[in-house]
Amino acid sequence: MTSQFQAMLDGLTRLRGVRGALVVSLEDGLVVAESVMGGLKGGALAAIGATLAGRAVELSGRGGFGRPRFLHLQGDDGALLVAPGHDLALVALAGRDVPIGMLRLEMLRTAERLG
Amino acid sequence: MRAVEPWVVAPLRAFVAESSARLALLMTSSGQVVAQHGFVGALDLMSVAALGAGIVASSSELAVTVGWEPFRVVAHQGKEQAHFLAWFDTPRGRWIALVVFGSETKLGLVRVFFEQLVEDLAAAAPPEEEPRREVLAADFERELNASLRALFGR
């Protein structure tokens, strides 16, 4: 199973400007599989991505507009992207000036395969 | 938050704030409490410290028995709250952290900020001024009472 995830993640990190991608457990924020550039802390990215997704799920539930499909947190130096599933989430970190549209599309396709 | 050693307070306070831990306890590997956040009773605290140190000792021994490195982290996931128990080395010897957290945070976040806590404690530890001395039975009760006063302000 983990090797399947690894192949999915490698597909994402091949895209230009993607510095790392992870499959994360939403329940506890731990890494299930990761493909990240040296110097990036996968554990920290996983925890932050899962926490962000958890808060967004709670917020959208209270707002009554359904489960969020995609989260995009844009910073000055890059973007944190999260595609939450039911038990797992796909998390990616992109550098500045990355075409987010293509990455978003690929993440949504990949997240569908996560289940 | 209370601490027997005052330099521990700032790193532990930062950890509690960032990880959203409900309870946090730092102790030596023999179960002697160094600092605590959130406990209200001395008896609870001492029991939890003794049990936590016992879990770390027994799980480490289990790992050694089957030929593995001692487990650094033991996590117990409950329905309402969870326990994170980990040992780490400090300039003052091996310590154990016991953290109780609920659904307002995640195990992954607690782990991330725990790693930061270990670094912060290593940076904050003052150099030891005098060599460790043997603890005599006559000193034990006085030191225990002093520790309890420091930990509960009584």
Side-chain angles (χ1 to χ4, degrees):
Chain A
M1 180 59 89
T2 305
S3 61
Q4 280 180 2
F5 291 152
Q6 209 62 51
M8 291 179 193
L9 296 176
D10 290 344
L12 286 174
T13 50
R14 272 198 289 271
L15 295 173
R16 183 172 64 84
V18 177
R19 299 177 60 200
L22 307 95
V23 176
V24 173
S25 158
L26 280 173
E27 168 81 20
D28 50 26
L30 297 177
V31 176
V32 175
E34 67 179 323
S35 174
V36 298
M37 286 172 66
L40 277 184
K41 289 186 176 177
L45 264 182
I48 292 166
T51 303
L52 182 66
R55 294 280 187 268
V57 167
E58 192 182 335
L59 184 70
S60 58
R62 285 171 192 255
F65 45 89
R67 201 175 167 83
R69 291 186 60 220
F70 195 79
L71 307 168
H72 176 178
L73 185 66
Q74 184 67 51
D76 288 341
D77 298 321
L80 179 69
L81 308 160
V82 184
H86 283 283
D87 298 320
L88 300 173
L90 191 61
V91 177
L93 187 71
R96 202 164 39 182
D97 303 328
V98 171
I100 296 293
M102 175 63 84
L103 179 54
R104 180 179 187 277
L105 194 62
E106 281 302 319
M107 284 185 72
L108 286 170
R109 280 184 189 150
T110 307
E112 272 180 25
R113 287 154 59 201
L114 284 182
Chain B
M1 179 170 299
R2 297 279 179 175
V4 175
E5 303 215 30
W7 57 270
V8 174
V9 170
L12 185 60
R13 181 170 287 145
F15 168 77
V16 167
E18 289 174 320
S19 67
S20 300
R22 291 180 182 177
L23 304 174
L25 172 58
L26 292 179
M27 60 189 137
T28 65
S29 55
S30 58
Q32 188 180 359
V33 177
V34 177
Q36 66 96 354
H37 163 80
F39 288 88
V40 290
L43 193 62
D44 281 351
L45 178 65
M46 296 307 165
S47 306
V48 168
L51 290 168
I55 290 169
V56 169
S58 56
S59 65
S60 296
E61 199 53 42
L62 175 67
V64 169
T65 303
V66 293
W68 297 340
E69 290 287 309
F71 302 115
R72 292 192 79 94
V73 173
V74 179
H76 295 169
Q77 192 77 44
K79 194 174 177 189
E80 300 293 328
Q81 51 189 19
H83 302 164
F84 171 90
L85 190 60
W87 59 263
F88 58 104
D89 289 319
T90 76
R92 298 297 172 88
R94 182 158 293 178
W95 284 8
I96 295 167
L98 191 152
V99 182
V100 178
F101 59 96
S103 58
E104 59 276 12
T105 188
K106 292 185 187 296
L107 176 59
L109 271 188
V110 172
R111 280 192 71 153
V112 167
F113 289 116
F114 168 73
E115 286 166 18
Q116 186 63 49
L117 171 66
V118 172
E119 287 178 20
D120 291 348
L121 286 172
E128 284 202 89
E129 288 168 1
E130 57 185 53
R132 289 168 190 271
R133 61 188 169 79
E134 198 176 338
V135 178
L136 301 174
D139 298 331
F140 180 75
E141 191 173 345
R142 189 175 60 245
E143 290 193 3
L144 179 63
N145 286 335
S147 296
L148 286 172
R149 274 197 302 278
L151 291 166
F152 290 99
R154 291 172 198 151

